[in-house]
Amino acid sequence: MKKYKTGYTAGVYDMFHVGHLNILRQAKEMCDFLVVGITTDELSLKKKNKLPVIPYEERVEIVEAIKYVDKVIPQEDSNKVLAHNIVDFDVIFVGDDWKGTEVWNNYENEFKKMGVDVVYFPYTKVTSSTMLREKLLNIPENK
């Protein structure tokens, strides 16, 4: 029996890579039902001031195809407490690059009151969507 009934994690999942897969795999190992929030193009533009390379609909299709994922929902707001109002999860999974930040310290306090655990997974330092985007931008064009 797994430790949690329903787990939740969210992200842009742009240029899907092994770091994304690792988080989804580890999350599913700990919960019976894994819900993944995919950041919409509009929210990404608002929060990061850039559109993802892969359009929202395609990112949804990719993540839905992952065997560890039970359900995909749009993440239209980055507030994780609001996400809990949509998905009644008992655990939220996040990369440890957020651990100790003011935002996540606040979430930890809020979720503790709600009986929701916060589980941090190691951030994949070797590969990230930001790193992939930078490499793609620096490839010289063939002439």
Side-chain angles (χ1 to χ4, degrees):
M1 183 153 176
K2 297 189 179 180
K3 185 173 182 179
Y4 300 102
K5 183 179 177 218
T6 304
Y8 179 77
T9 190
V12 179
Y13 295 97
D14 197 18
M15 294 182 283
F16 195 89
H17 56 76
V18 75
H20 296 136
L21 187 63
N22 288 341
I23 284 186
L24 299 175
R25 180 189 304 116
Q26 291 171 333
K28 184 61 178 175
E29 287 172 358
M30 297 181 72
C31 65
D32 293 322
F33 194 82
L34 180 61
V35 179
V36 179
I38 309 273
T39 302
T40 62
D41 291 344
E42 295 79 13
L43 180 59
S44 183
L45 190 58
K46 179 180 169 186
K47 297 294 284 182
K48 297 184 173 194
N49 204 26
K50 62 184 176 187
L51 283 171
V53 173
I54 309 295
Y56 172 77
E57 293 78 15
E58 292 180 21
R59 291 182 284 120
V60 167
E61 200 172 325
I62 291 165
V63 175
E64 282 178 334
I66 305 298
K67 67 181 180 179
Y68 309 115
V69 176
D70 296 297
K71 183 176 182 179
V72 169
I73 64 169
Q75 178 179 232
E76 298 172 311
D77 191 302
S78 58
N79 185 316
K80 305 306 184 245
V81 174
L82 292 178
H84 187 266
N85 295 337
I86 297 166
V87 179
D88 187 23
F89 52 83
D90 52 336
V91 61
I92 186 166
F93 303 103
V94 64
D96 67 1
D97 52 323
W98 290 100
K99 190 175 178 83
T101 64
E102 183 179 351
V103 168
W104 277 91
N105 287 342
N106 290 336
Y107 281 140
E108 284 183 36
N109 292 332
E110 286 298 310
F111 284 133
K112 188 173 186 174
K113 296 174 199 170
M114 302 162 79
V116 173
D117 288 345
V118 177
V119 173
Y120 295 94
F121 290 132
Y123 179 74
T124 306
K125 293 174 177 63
V126 178
T127 306
S128 72
S129 296
T130 301
M131 182 207 68
L132 291 173
R133 180 187 286 260
E134 287 172 9
K135 284 190 175 192
L136 286 171
L137 290 172
N138 289 319
I139 294 174
E141 291 186 36
N142 291 333
K143 295 186 179 190

